[in-house]
C-alpha cells in the first residue's frame, strides 16, 4: 500500500525534564523556538528517485557560509594595493594556519560555483522554473552571475603572475562587447591595464559591493523556496496524489541535509589539505605572459567561444558574433519559464529539455575544448 | 615499451599501482568483513525465523559473490602485474622470502572462493545449519588470507632486526617467521580486521538501500540499522589501535609524522601527515553521515546515499593506504631497500663502480640500446633512480619540482642527494642518489633538458 507521508513526530521537548529541557523552555518562552520547530515539522519535502538533487541548493549555501567565514579571517591580514602580494605571501607562509584559511577560501569558491551549476541544471531538468517559481529561477541566475563575479574579482587579489595575466585575459570578455566593451573594461580596470588601482576596485567590489547585493538576493531566493516549496519533477507530478511520497523537513530532510553538508565539508577539507592553494611569483606587468595562461574553469567556455569565433571570423566580426551567440543563449536560458509554462508534457516542454541538453553539452564541450588547446 | 623501466606518463607507475590497489583493498577487506556479516546475519534470521531477512541476505550474497569473486580476484592479479613492473627488485625480494607464505595464502584463497560460490548456490537447497557452516568456513578462510598477507605487507615497513641481520647473505629464509611476525604485524592485523568489519556494514547498506522502504518498512529499518552497527567497533577501537601501531613503527618513520604535525601551522607539513589527517577526518565523516542518513532515516536510505557513503569509504581507504605507503619512505622495504630498488648495502658499490654498469636493469637497457646510437645515460639514470616516484610532467613532476633551477642549481641538488648527509632535509623521504660523478653529471644534463627545454643553460665550467 502506498504511503503518502510519515506520521508527524510529536513535540516532545516541552514535556521533557532535566536541565537541558529547562534551558530549552527558558529560551523557547522568549524566542518561540517550539513554534519554529512545529512549523518545520509540518513542512514536507517530496521524496522520490530524484530527491538527491534537492540537496545541492543547501550545499551551495554551505559553501557560501564557508566563504563568508574564511573571507572575514583573510580580511584581517589582507592589504589591498601595492602590498597585496606581500600580504598574501604572509598569509600563506608566515601566519599560522593562514595557508589553511586561504586554501579553504579558494577551494570553497570553486566548489560553490560548481554546486550552483549542479543546482541550476537540476532545477532546469526538474522544470522547477515553471509557475509559480519564475522568480526563483531568475533570482538563482542572478546569484550565479554574482558568484562568478565574486570569483573573478577575488582571483586577482593575490596579484601573483597567474592572477594578473588571467585577469587580463578574463577582462577581454567584457572588452569584446561591441561599442561599450572598451569603456566597461577601462572602468573595471581603472585604466588601460591591470594595476594596483584594479586591485583596489576589485577589493571594494569583492568585500563591499557584491555582499551588499548578494545577501538580500540570497534571502529573497530562500524565501521563495520556502514560499513555494520544493518542485516535483514532471514524472512525479503525473502520479496520483495518493502515490506521492513526502518526508517532514524536520528532522528527516534536515538531518540528511546535515549529512550532505558534512560530505561537502569533508571534500573541502580534503582538497585544502592535500592540494593547498599555491602562490606564484609576484606579477610583473612588463614580463611576457606565462605559457598556457587561461581564465578560471567557469569562464573557460565563454573564453573558448570567443577565441574560436575570433579565429573563424578575424577582426571585429568574430568578437561580435561570439559575444552575440553567448548573449543569445543566456537570454533564452533566462526566459525559459516564459516559454515552457504548461505543467504537462508537450512540444514546448520537450524543446526546453533538449535546449537544456544542448546548453549542458555545449558548456562541458567548450570547457574541455578550451583546456585541450592550452 | 620501456621495460625493464616502466615509464607511465602523467600518473607514473606508482599511480597505476595506487588505482588498482585502492579498489582492491576496499573489495578484499569487504570480502573478509562480509564473510562474517553473512553467517552472523543468517544465524540471527534463522534464530528469529525471519524469511524476509533470508531473502535479503540471499540477494546480498549474490552482490557479494560477484564483487569479491570477480572484481576482487582480478584486481589482486592486477596488483601482481603492476608491482612486478614498477619495482621488480622489491617484488623479487618479497617472492624470495615469502613464496611459502603466498602458497599458504593461495590455498586459503581457493577454499575461500569455493566456499563463497557454494554458499550462494546452495541457498534453500541444503539444510540451513549446513548452509550456515559453509558461511563460517568462508569467513574463516577469508580472514586467514588476511592473516597471511598482513605478514608480508607489514614486513615491508618493519622487516625486523633478525631478518635485516641476515639480509643479503642468502640465509633470509631462516628468518622467515621473524620477518613474518614483524613488529607491526599484530597492530596491523587488528586494524585491518576492524576496517573489514566496518566495510562489511558499509557494503551491506548498498543491498539494504535496494529494499523498498514503503513496501517493507520494518525489514528495511531493521537491516539498515543492524548494518550501521557494524561501523561502531572500528570507530571505537581504531584510535587505540592506531596508537599501538604507531608505537611499533621505527622512530625514524614516526619522525615523519611528528615533523608533519609540528609544521601544520606553517603549512609545510609532510605528505604523510596530510594523508593521515584526511583519512581520520573522512573516517569520522563516514560515521556521522551514516548516522544522519542511515540510522536516523533508515526507511528512506536510498542508493544515492549508499553510493555517497561508499565514495567516502573509498576516500578513507585511499588516504589511509597512501599514509601507510608514505610512512615507509625512503624505503620500499624498511632499512633494506630504497624506494627506487637500490639496496642500502649496494650504495657504496654503485658509487665506486657506477650505477649504469652495476645495475642489472640499467645494464640490460644500455646493451639493448647500444645499436644505432649511444643511449642517453642521463635518461637511464632518471629511469633507474627517479622514475619509481617521479614523472617529468605529471605526478611529482620534475618540471615543477625543479622549476626555476638552471643546470648548476640542479647539479647542486643532485650533489646534496648524492652526499646524503645526516642533516640533509631530503634524507627523511628520498633515497640517496648513487653513481659515479660522470653519471650524476649526465643526469643533471638530462634534467636540465627536461626542465629548461628550449632554454638550455650551458654546463658550468
Amino acid at each position: 500500500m502506498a504511503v503518502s507521508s510519515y506520521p508527524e513526530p510529536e513535540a516532545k521537548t516541552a514535556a521533557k525534564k532535566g536541565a537541558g529541557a529547562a534551558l530549552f523552555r527558558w529560551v523557547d518562552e522568549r524566542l518561540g523556538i517550539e513554534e519554529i520547530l512545529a512549523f518545520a515539522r509540518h513542512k514536507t519535502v517530496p521524496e522520490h528517485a530524484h530527491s538527491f538533487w534537492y540537496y545541492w541548493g543547501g550545499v551551495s549555501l554551505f559553501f557560501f557560509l564557508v566563504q563568508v567565514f574564511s573571507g572575514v579571517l583573510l580580511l584581517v591580514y589582507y592589504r589591498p594595493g601595492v602590498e597585496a602580494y606581500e600580504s598574501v605571501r604572509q598569509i600563506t607562509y608566515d601566519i599560522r594556519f593562514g595557508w589553511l584559511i586561504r586554501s579553504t577560501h579558494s577551494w570553497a569558491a570553486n566548489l560553490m560555483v560548481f554546486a550552483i551549476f549542479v543546482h541550476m541544471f537540476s532545477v532546469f531538468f526538474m522544470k522547477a522554473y515553471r509557475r509559480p517559481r519564475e522568480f526563483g529561477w531568475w533570482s538563482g541566475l542572478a546569484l550565479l552571475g554574482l558568484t562568478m563575479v565574486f570569483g573573478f574579482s577575488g582571483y586577482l587579489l593575490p596579484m601573483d603572475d597567474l592572477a594578473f595575466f588571467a585577469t587580463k585575459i578574463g577582462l577581454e570578455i567584457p572588452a569584446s562587447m561591441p561599442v561599450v566593451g572598451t569603456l566597461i573594461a577601462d572602468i573595471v580596470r581603472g585604466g588601460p591595464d591591470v594595476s594596483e588601482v584594479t586591485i583596489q576596485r576589485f577589493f571594494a567590489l569583492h568585500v563591499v559591493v557584491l555582499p551588499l547585493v548578494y545577501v538580500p538576493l540570497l534571502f529573497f531566493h530562500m524565501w521563495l523556496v520556502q514560499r513555494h516549496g520544493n518542485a516535483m519533477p514532471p514524472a512525479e507530478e503525473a502520479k496520483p496524489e495518493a502515490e506521492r511520497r513526502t518526508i517532514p523537513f524536520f528532522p528527516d530532510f534536515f538531518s540528511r541535509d546535515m549529512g550532505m553538508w558534512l560530505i561537502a565539508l569533508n571534500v573541502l577539507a580534503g582538497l585544502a589539505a592535500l592540494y593547498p592553494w599555491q602562490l606564484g611569483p609576484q606579477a610583473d606587468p612588463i614580463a611576457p605572459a606565462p605559457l598556457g595562461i587561461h581564465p578560471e574553469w567557469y569562464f573557460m567556455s565563454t573564453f573558448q567561444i570567443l577565441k574560436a569565433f575570433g579565429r573563424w571570423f578575424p577582426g571585429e566580426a568574430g568578437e561580435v558574433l561570439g559575444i552575440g551567440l553567448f548573449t543569445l543563449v543566456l537570454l533564452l536560458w533566462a526566459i525559459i519559464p516564459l516559454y515552457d509554462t504548461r505543467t504537462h508534457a508537450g512540444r514546448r516542454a520537450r524543446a526546453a529539455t533538449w535546449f537544456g541538453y544542448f546548453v549542458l553539452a555545449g558548456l562541458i564541450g567548450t570547457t574541455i575544448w578550451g583546456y585541450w588547446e592550452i | 615499451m620501456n621495460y625493464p623501466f616502466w615509464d607511465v606518463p602523467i600518473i607514473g607507475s606508482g599511480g597505476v599501482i595506487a588505482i588498482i590497489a585502492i579498489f582492491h583493498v576496499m573489495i578484499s577487506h569487504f570480502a573478509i568483513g562480509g564473510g562474517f556479516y553473512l553467517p552472523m546475519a543468517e544465524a540471527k534470521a534463522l534464530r528469529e525465523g525471519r524469511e524476509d531477512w533470508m531473502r535479503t541476505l540471499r540477494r546480498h550474497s549474490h552482490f557479494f559473490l560477484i564483487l569479491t569473486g570477480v572484481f576482487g580476484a582480478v584486481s589482486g592479479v592486477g596488483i601482481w602485474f603492476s608491482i612486478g613492473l614498477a619495482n621488480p627488485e622489491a617484488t623479487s625480494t618479497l617472492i624470495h622470502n615469502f613464496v611459502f607464505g603466498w602458497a599458504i595464502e593461495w590455498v586459503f584463497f581457493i577454499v575461500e572462493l569455493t566456499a563463497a560460490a557454494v554458499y550462494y548456490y546452495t541457498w534453500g537447497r541444503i539444510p540451513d545449519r549446513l548452509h550456515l557452516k559453509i558461511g563460517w568456513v568462508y569467513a574463516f578462510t577469508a580472514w586467514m588470507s588476511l592473516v597471511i598477507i598482513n605478514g608480508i605487507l607489514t614486513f615491508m615497513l618493519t622487516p625486523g632486526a633478525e631478518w635485516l641481520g641476515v639480509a643479503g647473505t642468502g640465509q633470509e629464509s631462516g628468518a622467515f617467521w621473524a620477518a613474518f611476525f614483524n613488529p607491526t604485524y599484530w597492530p596491523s592485523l587488528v586494524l585491518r580486521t576492524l576496517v573489514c568489519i566496518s566495510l562489511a556494514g558499509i557494503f551491506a547498506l548498498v543491498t539494504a538501500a535496494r529494499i523498498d522502504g514503503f513496501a517493507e518498512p520494518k525489514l528495511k529499518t531493521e537491516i539498515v540499522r543492524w548494518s550501521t552497527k557494524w561501523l561502531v567497533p572500528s570507530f571505537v577501537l581504531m584510535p587505540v589501535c592506531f596508537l599501538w601501531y604507531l608505537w611499533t613503527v621505527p622512530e625514524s618513520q614516526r619522525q615523519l609524522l611528528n615533523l608533519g604535525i609540528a609544521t601544520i601551522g606553517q603549512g609545510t607539513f609532510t605528505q604523510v601527515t596530510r594523508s593521515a589527517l584526511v583519512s581520520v577526518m573522512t573516517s569520522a565523516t563516514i560515521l556521522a553521515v551514516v548516522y544522519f542518513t542511515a540510522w536516523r532515516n533508515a526507511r528512506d536510505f536510498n542508493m544515492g546515499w549508499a553510493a555517497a557513503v561508499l565514495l567516502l569509504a573509498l576516500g578513507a581507504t585511499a588516504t589511509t593506504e597512501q599514509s601507510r605507503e608514505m610512512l615507509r619512505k625512503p624505503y620500499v622495504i624498511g632499512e633494506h631497500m630504497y624506494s627506487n630498488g637500490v639496496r642500502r648495502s649496494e650504495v657504496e658499490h654503485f658509487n665506486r663502480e657506477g650505477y649504469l654498469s652495476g645495475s642489472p636493469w640499467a645494464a640490460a637497457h644500455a646493451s639493448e640500446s647500444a645499436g644505432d646510437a649511444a643511449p642517453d645515460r642521463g635518461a637511464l639514470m632518471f629511469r633507474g633512480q627517479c622514475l619509481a616516484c617521479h614523472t617529468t610532467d605529471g605526478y611529482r613532476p620534475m618540471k615543477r619540482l625543479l622549476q626555476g633551477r638552471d643546470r648548476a642549481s640542479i647539479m647542486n641538488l643532485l650533489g646534496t642527494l648524492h652526499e646524503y648527509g645526516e642533516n640533509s632535509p631530503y634524507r627523511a623521504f628520498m633515497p640517496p642518489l648513487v653513481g659515479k660523478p660522470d653519471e650524476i653529471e649526465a643526469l643533471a644534463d638530462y634534467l636540465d633538458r627536461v626542465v629548461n627545454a628550449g632554454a638550455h643553460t650551458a654546463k658550468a665550467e
Side-chain angles (χ1 to χ4, degrees):
Chain A
M1 194 184 79
V3 182
S4 62
S5 68
Y6 286 116
E8 288 162 10
E10 297 290 325
K12 294 174 183 172
T13 325
K16 281 184 181 172
K17 292 179 179 174
L23 178 66
F24 179 84
R25 277 196 298 276
W26 188 88
V27 177
D28 182 40
E29 193 181 334
R30 284 148 186 86
L31 301 179
I33 304 290
E34 191 55 58
E35 283 172 34
I36 299 168
L37 290 177
F39 172 76
R41 286 190 197 104
H42 280 89
K43 179 180 164 61
T44 57
V45 178
E47 173 68 17
H48 48 78
H50 306 291
S51 299
F52 173 73
W53 302 109
Y54 288 147
Y55 299 95
W56 285 89
V59 171
S60 311
L61 175 65
F62 169 75
F63 286 126
F64 175 71
L65 295 176
V66 171
Q67 287 299 90
V68 173
F69 180 71
S70 55
V72 169
L73 289 177
L74 288 175
L75 208 53
V76 174
Y77 292 101
Y78 180 73
R79 301 187 295 276
V82 288
E83 285 188 291
Y85 179 82
E86 176 57 18
S87 66
V88 177
R89 194 202 59 74
Q90 285 174 353
I91 290 170
T92 311
Y93 300 116
D94 295 345
I95 294 160
R96 285 177 70 78
F97 293 101
W99 69 271
L100 179 63
I101 302 300
R102 180 167 170 249
S103 285
T104 301
H105 195 73
S106 302
W107 275 115
N110 283 275
L111 291 170
M112 182 178 162
V113 175
F114 176 75
I116 296 176
F117 267 111
V118 174
H119 180 49
M120 179 182 74
F121 279 105
S122 64
V123 164
F124 186 91
F125 289 117
M126 278 206 250
K127 309 275 185 193
Y129 50 72
R130 285 174 174 169
R131 191 174 70 88
R133 297 185 177 84
E134 293 92 335
F135 279 100
W137 175 251
W138 292 324
S139 58
L141 285 186
L143 284 169
L144 172 62
L146 287 172
T147 304
M148 291 171 79
V149 180
F150 255 125
F152 185 66
S153 57
Y155 196 73
L156 175 69
L157 299 184
M159 201 54 172
D160 61 0
D161 63 348
L162 205 63
F164 176 79
F165 287 106
T167 305
K168 268 185 88 158
I169 287 175
L171 281 173
E172 287 173 11
I173 297 173
S176 62
M177 283 196 291
V179 188
V180 291
T182 312
L183 179 68
I184 290 174
D186 282 353
I187 291 171
V188 172
R189 280 190 297 249
D193 209 346
V194 175
S195 65
E196 280 79 15
V197 179
T198 321
I199 296 184
Q200 294 281 10
R201 294 187 178 209
F202 274 39
F203 180 69
L205 188 70
H206 195 74
V207 304
V208 180
V209 180
L210 287 171
L212 276 176
V213 183
Y214 198 92
V215 173
L217 192 59
L218 180 64
F219 275 102
F220 175 65
H221 186 74
M222 286 163 60
W223 175 74
L224 288 171
V225 174
Q226 157 55 28
R227 180 176 167 78
H228 299 301
N230 293 66
M232 276 181 281
E236 200 64 24
E237 269 190 345
K239 287 181 181 174
E241 187 83 28
E243 285 181 25
R244 293 181 197 163
R245 296 164 179 174
T246 59
I247 56 169
F249 177 81
F250 188 85
D252 296 36
F253 186 84
F254 180 76
S255 66
R256 289 203 267 180
D257 225 2
M258 288 299 100
M260 198 70 179
W261 283 31
L262 276 171
I263 294 172
L265 176 65
N266 197 90
V267 170
L268 173 62
L271 287 170
L274 295 177
Y275 306 102
W277 213 258
Q278 300 295 314
L279 181 68
Q282 188 164 9
D284 180 359
I286 55 169
L291 284 174
I293 201 80
H294 57 84
E296 283 287 81
W297 62 271
Y298 41 87
F299 289 116
M300 188 54 108
S301 175
T302 320
F303 177 66
Q304 185 60 22
I305 288 170
L306 288 175
K307 205 165 85 173
F309 272 81
R311 211 159 44 206
W312 295 333
F313 306 98
E316 204 173 317
E319 289 179 0
V320 172
L321 283 171
I323 208 81
L325 174 72
F326 175 73
T327 310
L328 178 69
V329 173
L330 195 64
L331 189 70
L332 291 175
W333 193 248
I335 63 168
I336 204 76
L338 305 177
Y339 172 76
D340 179 17
T341 52
R342 304 285 175 82
T343 50
H344 62 270
R347 190 178 56 81
R348 288 190 169 202
R350 283 196 302 277
T353 304
W354 279 109
F355 179 57
Y357 291 144
F358 167 76
V359 171
L360 182 59
L363 206 57
I364 295 171
T366 48
T367 302
I368 294 171
W369 184 18
Y371 277 101
W372 189 261
E373 284 199 348
I374 290 171
Chain B
M1 184 74 180
N2 297 294
Y3 189 78
F5 298 118
W6 198 29
D7 189 354
V8 183
I10 311 299
I11 58 172
S13 56
V16 177
I17 297 176
I19 290 168
I20 302 171
I22 288 162
F23 285 99
H24 178 75
V25 166
M26 219 172 134
I27 306 294
S28 60
H29 283 57
F30 166 51
I32 296 160
F36 288 95
Y37 179 97
L38 280 167
M40 284 181 79
E42 188 184 354
K44 177 179 162 64
L46 288 173
R47 207 167 47 242
E48 297 172 7
R50 295 291 298 271
E51 269 305 309
D52 50 353
W53 270 62
M54 295 291 272
R55 180 166 32 87
T56 306
L57 289 173
R58 183 174 182 164
R59 190 196 292 173
H60 185 52
S61 65
H62 183 233
F63 165 63
F64 179 83
L65 177 68
I66 291 173
L67 195 64
T68 61
V70 178
F71 192 84
V74 169
S75 57
V77 176
I79 290 181
W80 269 107
F81 274 112
S82 56
I83 63 165
L85 286 168
N87 206 324
E89 280 294 337
T91 310
S92 165
T93 303
L94 292 180
I95 291 172
H96 278 85
N97 281 280
F98 292 106
V99 68
F100 179 58
W102 261 305
I104 297 171
E105 197 223 351
W106 288 335
V107 170
F108 281 119
F109 188 54
I110 289 166
V111 178
E112 176 190 340
L113 278 179
T114 310
V118 173
Y119 182 79
Y120 172 68
Y121 287 108
T122 54
W123 275 104
R125 295 182 179 183
I126 58 173
D128 291 340
R129 292 288 151 198
L130 181 58
H131 187 258
L132 191 57
K133 279 178 187 165
I134 293 167
W136 284 116
V137 167
Y138 173 83
F140 174 73
T141 50
W143 185 69
M144 281 306 291
S145 67
L146 171 68
V147 166
I148 304 296
I149 198 71
N150 180 60
I152 302 167
L153 286 174
T154 50
F155 163 83
M156 293 175 76
L157 175 63
T158 49
E162 191 176 333
W163 186 87
L164 286 170
V166 294
T169 63
Q171 304 296 314
E172 292 93 336
S173 57
F176 175 87
W177 291 111
F180 188 85
F181 290 111
N182 59 78
T184 49
Y185 179 85
W186 292 109
S188 172
L189 182 65
V190 177
L191 271 171
R192 286 187 181 275
T193 303
L194 287 169
V195 171
C196 292
I197 292 169
S198 52
L199 280 172
I202 287 171
F203 275 99
L205 286 173
V206 175
T207 303
R210 294 175 63 198
I211 302 169
D212 187 339
F214 287 86
E216 296 182 288
K218 182 170 181 277
L219 172 70
K220 182 155 187 178
T221 304
E222 283 176 351
I223 290 199
V224 166
R225 290 197 164 178
W226 198 74
S227 302
T228 58
K229 285 177 187 171
W230 281 68
L231 276 78
V232 175
S234 62
F235 286 97
V236 172
L237 296 173
M238 199 78 94
V240 180
C241 292
F242 184 63
L243 289 176
W244 178 22
Y245 181 79
L246 282 183
W247 183 62
T248 58
V249 165
E251 178 63 28
S252 56
Q253 311 313 112
R254 227 175 12 242
Q255 277 301 321
L256 270 178
L257 262 181
N258 290 340
L259 176 69
I261 292 166
T263 51
I264 284 179
Q266 285 83 38
T268 52
F269 58 117
T270 52
Q271 191 65 31
V272 62
T273 314
R274 290 177 196 273
S275 301
L277 271 177
V278 177
S279 164
V280 171
M281 194 169 60
T282 310
S283 302
T285 304
I286 290 172
L287 193 66
V289 170
V290 166
Y291 170 74
F292 280 123
T293 62
W295 182 265
R296 288 194 63 108
N297 293 286
R299 198 161 68 166
D300 296 319
F301 187 77
N302 58 27
M303 197 51 87
W305 290 114
V309 174
L310 265 184
L311 281 176
L312 283 171
L314 189 68
T317 306
T319 46
T320 308
E321 290 298 312
Q322 195 194 15
S323 308
R324 187 183 57 75
E325 288 285 322
M326 302 294 287
L327 199 58
R328 217 166 47 205
K329 294 282 174 188
Y331 299 103
V332 65
I333 297 173
E335 305 288 326
H336 172 66
M337 185 184 287
Y338 290 110
S339 48
N340 55 11
V342 173
R343 289 177 182 81
R344 265 181 81 169
S345 58
E346 294 170 331
V347 171
E348 284 303 313
H349 170 76
F350 281 141
N351 286 342
R352 198 175 52 249
E353 306 294 334
Y355 173 77
L356 293 176
S357 57
S359 163
W361 302 116
H365 197 282
S367 63
E368 278 173 16
S369 313
D372 306 329
D376 183 340
R377 298 169 77 235
L380 284 179
M381 284 285 283
F382 177 75
R383 290 181 173 184
Q385 296 194 54
C386 315
L387 205 57
C389 304
H390 295 279
T391 61
T392 51
D393 295 281
Y395 182 64
R396 292 191 189 132
M398 286 293 117
K399 283 185 181 170
R400 180 171 62 77
L401 294 169
L402 297 178
Q403 192 180 27
R405 286 180 185 263
D406 60 7
R407 190 191 177 282
S409 174
I410 291 171
M411 193 56 208
N412 275 342
L413 174 68
L414 296 184
T416 307
L417 289 172
H418 179 65
E419 286 161 17
Y420 215 53
E422 286 296 328
N423 296 323
S424 167
Y426 302 103
R427 199 182 166 96
F429 46 89
M430 280 185 75
L433 175 66
V434 298
K436 292 200 291 188
D438 60 314
E439 292 174 327
I440 294 169
E441 291 280 355
L443 177 60
D445 284 339
Y446 172 74
L447 291 175
D448 182 38
R449 282 199 303 278
V450 167
V451 178
N452 302 311
H456 183 56
T457 46
K459 183 176 172 179
E461 293 299 326

